[in-house]
Amino acid sequence: MAFVPTTQSEVQAWLQRFHAANDSLDPSRLGSTYAKDAKVQFGNMPVIEGLDGMRNFFSATWARLETMHHEPEGFDLVDNKIYQPCHITWQVKNDPEKEQIVVPAFAFISLVTSGEERGLISRAAFYMDGAPLMAALQRASDVFPYTLIFLSTTTMASSQSLTLSSATFAKLTPHPFLLANLQPPDPSIPSARTNGRQPAQARPYSVNTSSLTHAHGSAVVRSGDTTVICGVRGETLLTSQIPNYRIPQPGDSASNDELRDYELLVPNVELATGCSPHFLPGVPPTTLAQTLSTRLYTLLHSAKLLDAADLRIYQDVSGEEATEGEEDQAGEAVKEVKAYWVLYIDILFVSFDGNPFDVAWAAILAALRDTKLPQAYWDVDRETVLCSREAPSPLSIRGLPAACTTAVFTAKERQKKGDQFWVLVDPDRLEESLCDETVTMVVDCSSGETKILSISKQGGTVAGPAVVRKFATVAEARWKEFRAILQE
């Protein structure tokens, strides 16, 4: 290849020889296409320098391939630079699925224009999705991570090899990387996740209450790298401003209807711009934020956490005679509800690393337990609600419902019934992106027995009734951990 192609036919002939050398899977033929000090880079991986570095690199991977074939899809020639899209087909040795892996790729090639190495590659960059190939290599081998040898600029003369870091492999092939940790080749090594936790191990909670001075109740809850601030602030709502208001009757037990019908609990979730690279400034609320708000709103009501009686504001009858019609049959004075407290529950994610629902609910629960509302009453003369700062009243919290979420990770990226799977408690952001199925269970063990308040399942077909029943034990342990943190 001692020439620089200038015409379409010459470029086509040059590319055919180039691809034939690569498809032969023979590292010794690299010298016929690359200059001695050539530099090659795949995506954002480290640069491979020199023929020796390339032979070490390609021999490690090509030795595990059965076949490789490049199918060009045109090209462009600009001076001594060739731009070419193509499709690459691989077949890995000993792949149990015998999959024909086909991925699109793009090549940038710069040629030497003078001297003895004229027409050879001086610099090249290749862009493709290597995840399918890495997955097939993982299926065919029990060893991970794959040791790819690179020679750095400073150690090339001594041929000292370097190994890619775990963080690099996690970015390049996240699914095989997590699978290798959960399924180590040595049976004596316990199964672990990429974050070092066991599959059934959750991140511990950290709770700090009364963090916001301008709110009636607040809490900061952290679980791993997910941190949430929750503030509760009460605002008064006159009954005259409530459409279709119904006067509560003595002994009426439908207090939960008041909370829902009059919208007395208003949760709102905000994913701060800096909490994750996925959330951009100046955009409408994301689908995740709206979904979390809806789920939290539903659980606030279904768990019957609060009593509407704590949010009622009555007419002040101290020192006054009950007006006509304000006495019941027993002759006792009946106080009239003039207004309600509306609790605005704002949840702000300061940092986001997976499992947002559990942490947001824990923050709400801790903030409501910290909430104290001023003494409020209806003043007849001023016809308005007045509040006293003295002796604020805490809310009456019913029980201690705690949420526990798990994600189902399957051995194969394309989930099928019967595949091997792992149940990951309290998944982080990486694990959530690799799992198609999640289960959230809300339990309350404050009465001495485990009560399952709700079960929600999203996606997948792995977690059936038998798996969910086993999960109740995990949720109970998570509840005990959360209760212990609140009691500290």
Side-chain angles (χ1 to χ4, degrees):
M1 247 184 237
F3 72 97
V4 176
T6 56
T7 66
Q8 294 289 317
S9 59
E10 289 178 345
V11 174
Q12 189 172 3
W14 188 96
L15 287 172
Q16 287 177 351
R17 297 178 190 176
F18 170 67
H19 290 314
N22 289 328
D23 293 344
S24 69
L25 301 178
D26 182 3
S28 64
R29 295 183 60 178
L30 292 172
S32 64
T33 56
Y34 290 92
K36 293 181 180 180
D37 59 349
K39 296 181 180 180
V40 176
Q41 185 174 23
F42 289 85
N44 60 353
M45 294 173 65
V47 176
I48 309 167
E49 299 195 19
L51 273 175
D52 290 337
M54 281 184 283
R55 289 192 181 102
N56 287 334
F57 172 80
F58 287 112
S59 61
T61 304
W62 286 357
R64 304 182 63 186
L65 297 180
E66 190 73 41
T67 60
M68 178 171 67
H69 176 69
H70 290 74
E71 187 65 34
E73 295 185 352
F75 57 84
D76 286 312
L77 176 66
V78 180
D79 297 329
N80 64 323
K81 300 176 179 64
I82 300 174
Y83 303 85
Q84 184 194 38
C86 71
H87 275 80
I88 307 177
T89 303
W90 295 293
Q91 186 168 1
V92 176
K93 293 179 180 178
N94 303 320
D95 182 6
E97 297 187 4
K98 300 187 182 301
E99 181 183 4
Q100 290 280 347
I101 304 166
V102 182
V103 298
F106 184 82
F108 161 76
I109 300 171
S110 179
L111 303 178
V112 179
T113 58
S114 61
E116 295 180 355
E117 297 184 320
R118 183 174 182 269
L120 299 180
I121 299 174
S122 62
R123 184 162 56 96
F126 305 101
Y127 303 92
M128 69 197 74
D129 181 10
L133 175 60
M134 288 296 187
L137 291 171
Q138 171 63 19
R139 290 196 300 265
S141 174
D142 292 330
V143 180
F144 194 92
Y146 315 108
T147 304
L148 302 181
I149 307 301
F150 295 93
L151 298 182
S152 65
T153 306
T154 58
T155 61
M156 183 175 56
S158 60
S159 297
Q160 180 179 352
S161 64
L162 300 176
T163 303
L164 288 179
S165 65
S166 298
T168 302
F169 274 105
K171 293 179 180 179
L172 293 175
T173 57
H175 187 278
F177 182 74
L178 178 56
L179 177 61
N181 283 270
L182 292 172
Q183 194 177 33
D186 187 352
S188 63
I189 301 176
S191 178
R193 293 145 75 171
T194 57
N195 49 36
R197 291 185 284 148
Q198 300 298 312
Q201 182 181 359
R203 296 170 291 186
Y205 280 123
S206 173
V207 179
N208 182 25
T209 57
S210 302
S211 306
L212 305 178
T213 58
H214 60 277
H216 292 127
S218 62
V220 177
V221 176
R222 178 173 181 176
S223 177
D225 288 332
T226 299
T227 305
V228 175
I229 298 178
C230 179
V232 179
R233 185 171 180 85
E235 299 288 344
T236 58
L237 173 66
L238 302 181
T239 55
S240 59
Q241 299 173 340
I242 301 176
N244 302 320
Y245 170 70
R246 303 181 304 275
I247 299 176
Q249 300 301 318
D252 188 1
S253 60
S255 62
N256 198 57
D257 293 339
E258 291 181 71
L259 296 175
R260 185 184 294 272
D261 295 345
Y262 305 154
E263 299 290 349
L264 302 183
L265 304 177
V266 185
N268 179 64
V269 174
E270 181 179 351
L271 299 169
T273 301
C275 72
S276 171
H278 298 287
F279 308 123
L280 303 177
V283 297
T286 62
T287 302
L288 176 59
Q290 298 180 55
T291 301
L292 286 174
S293 298
T294 302
R295 293 180 63 189
L296 294 169
Y297 173 86
T298 302
L299 184 56
L300 278 169
H301 291 287
S302 63
K304 299 181 180 180
L305 197 63
L306 300 176
D307 189 350
D310 291 343
L311 304 181
R312 296 172 185 166
I313 301 175
Y314 296 94
Q315 178 178 335
D316 183 16
V317 295
S318 59
E320 299 181 4
E321 296 293 335
T323 59
E324 184 178 356
E326 287 185 327
E327 294 187 359
D328 59 11
Q329 295 178 355
E332 297 179 353
V334 178
K335 294 188 293 184
E336 181 181 358
V337 179
K338 288 293 187 177
Y340 286 92
W341 283 107
V342 179
L343 300 183
Y344 291 92
I345 306 170
D346 294 313
I347 303 103
L348 174 66
F349 280 81
V350 179
S351 60
F352 186 96
D353 188 29
N355 198 12
F357 179 78
D358 288 11
V359 186
W361 176 252
I364 289 177
L365 199 58
L368 289 176
R369 289 165 61 92
D370 181 64
T371 299
K372 295 181 180 179
L373 297 176
Q375 294 285 349
Y377 61 92
W378 177 261
D379 186 273
V380 178
D381 297 331
R382 301 181 184 180
E383 295 186 347
T384 188
V385 175
L386 298 182
C387 297
S388 172
R389 296 182 179 180
E390 299 180 0
S393 302
L395 297 175
S396 300
I397 306 297
R398 298 170 177 170
L400 186 65
C404 183
T405 297
T406 61
V408 179
F409 176 80
T410 55
K412 297 181 180 179
E413 294 188 62
R414 300 179 182 90
Q415 181 178 336
K416 298 178 182 178
K417 194 171 183 179
D419 289 345
Q420 186 179 9
F421 66 92
W422 291 263
V423 177
L424 308 180
V425 178
D426 185 21
D428 59 23
R429 188 171 58 183
L430 172 64
E431 293 167 343
E432 285 183 337
S433 67
L434 300 175
C435 300
D436 296 327
E437 184 173 2
T438 59
V439 179
T440 300
M441 181 178 292
V442 180
V443 299
D444 188 357
C445 308
S446 57
S447 63
E449 61 179 6
T450 302
K451 295 181 180 179
I452 300 177
L453 303 183
S454 70
I455 300 176
S456 60
K457 180 176 177 295
Q458 299 177 356
T461 59
V462 173
V467 176
V468 173
R469 279 193 293 268
K470 293 180 181 179
F471 176 53
T473 305
V474 178
E476 182 179 354
R478 186 64 164 161
W479 179 89
K480 293 179 180 178
E481 294 174 3
F482 183 57
R483 181 190 62 174
I485 293 296
L486 291 181
Q487 291 177 347
E488 290 181 356

